[in-house]
Amino acid sequence: MRIDQNQLAAARDGSEKLVATPGQTIGPFFGYASGYENVHIPFRDGQHLVNPASPKAVRLTGTIYDGSGAPIPDAMIEIWQADENGQIPQETGSLVRDGWTFTGWGRATADNVGTYTFSTVNPGATEEGKAPFIHVVVFARGLMNKLHTRIYLPEDTAALEQDALLSSVEADRRQTLIAEREADGTLRFDIHLQGEQETVFLQFPGIEYPVHD
Amino acid sequence: MLDPAATQDSQETISAEISQIHDSASGETQPRVNFPPYRSSLLRHPTKDMHHTDPETIELWSPAFGHRDVHTLESDLTVQGNGEPLGERMVVRGRVLDGDGRPVRNQLVEIWQANASGRYVHKRDQHPAPLDPNFTGVGRTITDDKGFYEFTTIKPAPYPWKNHHNAWRPAHIHFSLFGTDFTQRMITQMYFPGDPLFSLDPIYQSITDQKARDRLVATYDHNVSTHEWNTGYYWDIVLTGSNRTWMEDEHDAH
């Protein structure tokens, strides 16, 4: 659709908002072009926010499940986070990684067994006392619109208890937003699109998810 | 994976299911994530209500992209091989705007699509239509200061899929977009005007409101066409209103 000058003028003077374009499924065929020089989605090293060999690298991994408990092999996951000091990055270079710059954004695809893996850092708190989290967006064949959620780090239990979002979630579902820490430092965060362990997904002002059954 | 028996459902069955849902809905501007005529959605849509919240901290920002990330040639999908791809060369142009009509500047727009025969370059696409050695169907660009994007590509063809018996997707291009907040992040599909497959397609019809569906359809634009070279389409994309306070100096920040 073309937004005409009247609509644009009304949106700019605040009398009427433009209605957001509807989302659609990513489908099964994203991200596959032939060869390194060519464009491809996901791009090379998109899952490496930091080099896995770096001493500060943390593995973030998990499996995406459907309502029957089967892993989803054709999902795409994106993360967006602050650095280890809680700074929000505004650096370019997420698509052509130079190996040095932390851009805060990563993209990974689920593998044949529905597992995604990132190499990143533990995010720091962006404000004193806030519980640090990684923002996640899930796209998949069969999923008509993007789903947002958060991965909270498990360690700072005082901050987690005070967190406004976590406190507003029913107690029995809160745990779906908190990663598990494994002995080697790995963060494990499984995503359940449906079922008893369904992940809490977030809805922000301005975007609707009509009718749930 | 799909239940093989479900793929035997007829178009009439699917179309009847679509009509029934549309009859009981009105004014929805986004797709239903639970849209049973799209069989793959059955086990993949959340069943619990979305948790309403305001964005905070990192969510009020978006990743930054620049020309280190994207070469200008990546917006021309017809020059990525060693020769000219087959099909109707076309240019797609439009703006990325937020709900307040502000241009979304310097942000990444990515597309992927089937070729002129309805085939994707993807190992999972086994539709027996020819691959084009000169067309990968993937491109990206960065919006300019007025929020404009532009791609040169080949018009994709419809293709069959296994949702039900004799299911065909209307021709479409997948678009991936970022905004100035990460909560504006979205993926959608652009369609072509007048496609006879619209009414039959459960993905397009998962948006129950006609006005909202129309927002996914490009306009043929003769001003975007070029003499003896390409046809032209125009398509504006609106992201949700930005939640971040707009600062005047951002006009010149990039």
Side-chain angles (χ1 to χ4, degrees):
Chain A
M1 194 169 83
R2 183 191 288 267
I3 304 297
D4 67 33
Q5 289 307 315
N6 293 337
Q7 292 171 286
L8 202 54
R12 287 185 174 161
D13 73 19
S15 55
E16 206 165 329
K17 287 244 182 216
L18 296 177
V19 181
T21 305
Q24 292 271 269
T25 176
I26 188 171
F29 300 136
F30 54 88
Y32 195 81
S34 54
Y36 172 49
E37 312 80 29
N38 288 319
V39 189
H40 44 305
I41 301 168
F43 47 92
R44 189 183 177 92
D45 294 336
Q47 75 279 31
H48 293 155
L49 286 77
V50 299
N51 188 319
S54 158
K56 67 178 182 182
V58 170
R59 179 169 61 164
L60 168 64
T61 190
T63 303
I64 307 148
Y65 296 99
D66 74 10
S68 70
I72 294 178
D74 44 12
M76 189 174 94
I77 303 291
E78 288 181 355
I79 61 170
W80 171 228
Q81 66 168 95
D83 72 10
E84 64 271 42
N85 303 313
Q87 292 295 313
I88 296 174
Q90 283 295 286
E91 301 291 336
T92 63
S94 290
L95 301 178
V96 184
R97 306 255 189 218
D98 66 7
W100 301 97
T101 308
F102 184 76
T103 68
W105 181 67
R107 176 184 286 172
T109 49
D111 64 16
N112 290 338
V113 291
T115 299
Y116 69 91
T117 303
F118 289 98
S119 165
T120 186
V121 296
N122 290 316
T126 51
E127 291 163 50
E128 189 74 25
K130 280 259 184 194
F133 65 86
I134 297 170
H135 191 94
V136 185
V137 192
V138 183
F139 304 96
R141 177 180 65 86
L143 184 55
M144 280 312 312
N145 208 349
K146 46 84 186 274
L147 295 175
H148 293 272
T149 188
R150 291 180 182 177
I151 303 175
Y152 283 91
L153 304 190
E155 281 83 13
D156 190 346
T157 46
L160 290 174
E161 272 169 34
Q162 285 165 27
D163 184 84
L165 176 85
L166 287 174
S167 312
S168 69
V169 171
E170 308 90 291
D172 59 338
R173 299 190 65 206
R174 208 166 290 160
Q175 206 57 38
T176 71
L177 296 171
I178 304 172
E180 285 173 43
R181 183 79 70 179
E182 298 185 343
D184 66 354
T186 292
L187 278 174
R188 182 165 300 278
F189 185 81
D190 291 339
I191 297 169
H192 296 263
L193 297 187
Q194 265 184 12
E196 267 174 43
Q197 300 173 80
E198 185 175 310
T199 303
V200 171
F201 295 106
L202 305 176
Q203 180 174 10
F204 296 98
I207 195 101
E208 56 169 285
Y209 289 88
V211 184
H212 293 272
D213 53 15
Chain B
M1 287 291 118
L2 282 175
D3 171 5
T7 67
Q8 297 309 305
D9 287 335
S10 67
Q11 181 69 56
E12 287 70 22
T13 301
I14 296 292
S15 295
E17 290 179 25
I18 291 172
S19 298
Q20 197 178 6
I21 295 167
H22 285 197
D23 286 349
S24 63
S26 79
E28 296 170 6
T29 64
Q30 292 288 331
R32 290 193 174 187
V33 288
N34 55 334
F35 197 71
Y38 176 30
R39 301 299 192 223
S40 300
S41 77
L42 288 169
L43 289 170
R44 294 184 170 196
H45 72 272
T47 58
K48 301 186 186 345
D49 286 338
M50 297 284 156
H51 190 83
H52 287 259
T53 188
D54 285 323
E56 51 179 339
T57 70
I58 187 115
E59 292 159 344
L60 294 167
W61 297 84
S62 220
F65 300 100
H67 286 290
R68 177 164 135 207
D69 294 296
V70 181
H71 192 279
T72 48
L73 287 177
E74 292 179 48
S75 64
D76 188 343
L77 286 71
T78 68
V79 298
Q80 294 170 2
N82 294 319
E84 298 290 340
L86 296 169
E88 174 186 336
R89 186 187 291 104
M90 62 170 194
V91 166
V92 183
R93 179 187 296 164
R95 284 169 299 188
V96 184
L97 301 164
D98 72 14
D100 297 320
R102 298 182 294 217
V104 177
R105 303 181 168 95
N106 245 32
Q107 276 297 9
L108 182 66
V109 181
E110 299 168 283
I111 63 169
W112 62 101
Q113 62 170 92
N115 68 21
S117 304
R119 177 86 185 261
Y120 283 92
V121 179
H122 195 287
K123 58 196 166 194
R124 290 197 188 125
D125 187 355
Q126 295 297 318
H127 169 40
L131 281 168
D132 183 338
N134 294 316
F135 189 73
T136 63
V138 182
R140 56 173 69 103
T141 192
I142 291 186
T143 53
D144 70 13
D145 282 347
K146 291 181 172 167
F148 275 99
Y149 70 87
E150 181 175 305
F151 290 100
T152 302
T153 185
I154 295 294
K155 191 173 185 182
Y159 56 83
W161 59 311
K162 293 176 179 160
N163 188 67
H164 56 277
H165 183 67
N166 204 12
W168 287 78
R169 291 286 346 266
H172 62 277
I173 299 178
H174 296 267
F175 271 72
S176 160
L177 304 137
F178 290 79
T180 53
D181 301 1
F182 203 58
T183 58
Q184 294 177 312
R185 176 83 181 94
M186 74 165 323
I187 284 179
T188 187
Q189 300 176 22
M190 185 204 91
Y191 297 87
F192 294 87
D195 196 313
L197 295 167
F198 281 158
S199 65
L200 307 176
D201 179 43
I203 291 182
Y204 177 74
Q205 298 291 341
S206 68
I207 305 153
T208 59
D209 185 65
Q210 179 69 53
K211 282 204 300 288
R213 289 197 292 277
D214 290 344
R215 295 192 176 100
L216 295 182
V217 182
T219 314
Y220 172 75
D221 187 335
H222 206 58
N223 293 319
V224 182
S225 298
T226 309
H227 181 65
E228 293 200 325
W229 188 243
N230 67 268
T231 56
Y233 288 86
Y234 186 93
W235 189 50
D236 287 328
I237 301 155
V238 179
L239 307 179
T240 59
S242 168
N243 294 297
R244 188 150 54 97
T245 308
W246 182 257
M247 284 174 279
E248 279 304 317
D249 61 1
E250 286 181 38
H251 284 287
D252 304 313
H254 303 302

